[in-house]
Amino acid sequence: MCSFDCGLCVGPSDIRNCHHLVQTFDDGPTANTPQLLDQLKKGGQMVSFFVLGIQVVTFPEIFRRSHKEGHFLASHTYGHKHLPSLSNNDIVAQLQWSIWAMNATAGVIPQFFRPPFGGLDNRVRAIAHRLNLSAIVWDLDTNDWQLNDHSRTGEEIYDQIRLWQNSRINGIMLEHDSTENTVMAGIEISKIIGNSAITAANCNDPLAEWYSEDTILPYNVSRSSFRIPLPQKQQLNNKIVTNSYDAATDHHHHHDHNT
């Protein structure tokens, strides 16, 4: 079993390394994301956003702005679930609902996803591939989420980034646009590393397409008109209506890699 979260095993289609320092942000869009977009626009920088479907439908204008300003957008599932813990049908639902949210909001169909907590094994890969999704993980963790509980300072993070930069250590950096703390860190990191002019999708293949050209749903389709042919569809729909993802309280973004 090739599991990323329980052994750092990377499959042949997974993207983990890069020849530049690349910023990638999980768990948005949020009310804090525009601050980051403002700075990136000022610096002429492109980054990668792994978005949650629940956040896309909550902040559609911010998602559309990210797309309009040329950033790479990929799925982070609909509701931030640990995919290996779910049934096949629920994995499909998490991925399909996120695809629906991205397509209905900005007319894009992602070809890449990042599993929450790095929860990626052969079963998840096989299901994702059926949905034309390849995984992008990371090899440099900023641990920016520790800013939220004050177990790490901004300066400690920035010193780590400078060390990577000075040591010519390149790779895909894991960050979050979920809270004001992590967004401010992302802004500072963008100033430190400058513009690499590459996204995570193009680390292995400079010509890789970000999105599918197929249109599986009409633009701006209403939520009520979308149907997933799954027994869990109604249950998932209820969760969408009643639950919202609170990124600020998610202190467990990563599983212990030794488990």
Side-chain angles (χ1 to χ4, degrees), residues 41-210:
K41 189 173 183 180
K42 193 183 302 181
Q45 292 161 287
M46 265 191 319
V47 300
S48 306
F49 288 104
F50 293 88
V51 300
L52 293 168
I54 185 69
Q55 296 300 108
V56 171
V57 298
T58 305
F59 298 100
E61 291 302 328
I62 298 173
F63 181 72
R64 279 191 282 268
R65 179 186 169 187
S66 301
H67 178 244
K68 184 180 177 183
E69 295 182 359
H71 299 290
F72 165 56
L73 306 173
S75 169
H76 196 42
T77 73
Y78 192 89
H80 206 272
K81 305 297 182 185
H82 181 246
L83 297 180
S85 305
L86 302 181
S87 68
N88 289 353
N89 279 350
D90 283 348
I91 293 172
V92 171
Q94 282 290 320
L95 295 173
Q96 277 279 40
W97 274 105
S98 71
I99 292 170
W100 161 76
M102 295 175 70
N103 189 44
T105 305
V108 297
I109 299 173
Q111 295 203 112
F112 295 94
F113 83 109
R114 172 175 282 165
F117 312 104
L120 184 64
D121 59 20
N122 292 341
R123 183 172 64 101
V124 172
R125 287 186 186 93
I127 293 170
H129 287 167
R130 293 291 295 273
L131 298 173
N132 197 33
L133 292 171
S134 298
I136 298 178
V137 284
W138 64 88
D139 58 349
L140 299 174
D141 194 343
T142 66
N143 291 303
D144 61 346
W145 58 275
Q146 292 181 335
L147 293 169
N148 297 326
D149 63 8
H150 308 292
S151 58
R152 200 161 199 225
T153 67
E155 277 310 313
E156 287 175 317
I157 292 174
Y158 310 145
D159 285 347
Q160 180 69 70
I161 304 299
R162 293 186 189 98
L163 178 63
W164 289 337
Q165 193 175 43
N166 295 336
S167 306
R168 301 197 174 176
I169 295 173
N170 293 313
I172 298 173
M173 295 187 291
L174 177 61
E175 302 176 61
H176 302 83
D177 56 321
S178 47
T179 70
E180 186 173 7
N181 288 334
T182 60
V183 161
M184 297 311 293
I187 288 172
E188 188 61 33
I189 291 170
S190 76
K191 294 176 182 176
I192 293 170
I193 69 171
N195 189 2
S196 67
I198 189 171
T199 68
N202 301 112
C203 287
N204 289 3
D205 178 2
L207 301 179
E209 295 288 338
W210 296 356

